[in-house]
Amino acid sequence: MDLQERFSRNCIQISENIKLINDLWLEIEKKYSEKGRQYHNFEHLQNMFIELSQVTPTITDLTAITFSVFYHDVIYNVSSKTNEEKSAEFARKHLRKLCIDTNLAEKVSQQIIATKLHVSEDSDTNYLLDADLSVLGHKSEKYIEYTQKIRKEYSIYPDLLYKPGRKKVLHHFLESESIFKTNYFREKYEDQARKNILLEIESLNFG
């Protein structure tokens, strides 16, 4: 299923206003197609849905988590520290046009904000967070490709600034008791993710 179809199917559960749904999609498409999005683009969203497809039976509210995937990186500025909050507000503003249930809108907003620190006590949200980070546990060649794309996104920063900041993020992951919150993703990706991160830190130190 392509992304537009997935988004439309999710919306049509709430509203049959096809023009509105199409307008909402065009806004999303515009954002994720912005110049400079080397990693945080539609490919990232597609990969998240592929990962989540493996745990769909254990997700309580698939409608909410689907909206959260689409909107979690809709605002992405490498020089901003409030992307998640702005993305959550963007989601609230646009989903409100569907006359979405207040509780559903709030759930989507909270899930998006949780992607900032990757901390949550909610089961569905933890699946979202793990899918978001799943690339950390992919095979080394895929991981290297990911790191190259991230570096391009942060190309406005010289190595003098980028490397310490990147290493801080990576060490944060390593210092966590577990990078992945759910049993499924932990068993699938935890060991490889730690190996990948250690190799990246080494390359940042000596590269």
Side-chain angles (χ1 to χ4, degrees):
M1 186 188 310
D2 70 21
L3 291 175
Q4 183 175 3
E5 182 182 359
R6 188 184 296 274
F7 181 77
S8 297
R9 285 190 180 187
N10 211 50
C11 290
I12 216 162
Q13 300 176 73
I14 301 165
S15 171
E16 294 183 356
N17 187 334
I18 302 301
K19 183 182 183 306
L20 172 59
I21 293 171
N22 187 56
D23 288 344
L24 292 176
W25 168 255
L26 291 175
E27 287 287 345
I28 290 173
E29 186 176 54
K30 178 181 177 181
K31 290 295 185 181
Y32 282 96
S33 301
E34 289 172 337
K35 183 180 179 181
R37 284 187 181 244
Q38 301 293 325
Y39 175 73
H40 292 90
N41 50 32
F42 274 161
E43 183 179 356
H44 172 51
L45 301 192
Q46 190 67 64
N47 287 335
M48 286 182 68
F49 281 121
I50 290 171
E51 295 289 352
L52 289 169
S53 69
Q54 304 302 308
V55 293
T56 297
T58 58
I59 293 173
T60 304
D61 191 338
L62 191 59
T63 300
I65 205 170
T66 299
F67 279 134
S68 294
V69 171
F70 277 113
Y71 284 105
H72 83 287
D73 282 329
V74 72
I75 304 297
Y76 188 75
N77 182 341
V78 297
S79 62
S80 174
K81 295 183 179 180
T82 58
N83 287 323
E84 293 81 7
E85 291 85 351
K86 290 177 180 177
S87 293
E89 179 55 33
F90 186 99
R92 279 194 295 267
K93 176 183 175 181
H94 287 75
L95 291 177
R96 196 177 297 133
K97 298 175 183 179
L98 290 172
C99 297
I100 193 172
D101 178 79
T102 302
N103 291 332
L104 177 56
E106 182 60 24
K107 185 181 296 186
V108 171
S109 175
Q110 290 304 312
Q111 287 181 344
I112 292 171
I113 290 173
T115 64
K116 183 167 190 169
L117 299 176
H118 285 88
V119 175
S120 175
E121 297 298 324
D122 176 71
S123 176
D124 279 5
T125 304
N126 282 332
Y127 281 118
L128 173 74
L129 302 182
D130 283 356
D132 191 27
L133 294 181
S134 59
V135 67
L136 300 181
H138 286 187
K139 292 181 179 179
S140 57
E141 57 269 25
K142 190 70 175 177
Y143 182 84
I144 291 171
E145 181 183 328
Y146 149 74
T147 64
Q148 292 170 342
K149 290 178 179 178
I150 292 295
R151 184 64 185 100
K152 288 178 180 178
E153 286 189 340
Y154 282 80
S155 60
I156 62 170
Y157 296 106
D159 283 349
L160 184 66
L161 295 177
Y162 176 77
K163 288 185 176 182
R166 180 65 179 171
K167 285 191 287 186
K168 182 178 180 181
V169 171
L170 297 174
H171 280 296
H172 172 74
F173 286 132
L174 291 180
E175 290 163 6
S176 302
E177 182 178 346
S178 176
I179 296 170
F180 297 98
K181 313 304 178 187
T182 63
N183 289 334
Y184 172 81
F185 283 98
R186 191 181 303 118
E187 292 172 3
K188 186 176 182 180
Y189 289 132
E190 185 77 22
D191 290 346
Q192 184 62 42
R194 291 184 177 274
K195 292 176 183 176
N196 286 337
I197 290 170
L198 285 170
L199 287 173
E200 185 182 358
I201 292 173
E202 184 177 351
S203 72
L204 291 169
N205 286 334
F206 302 104

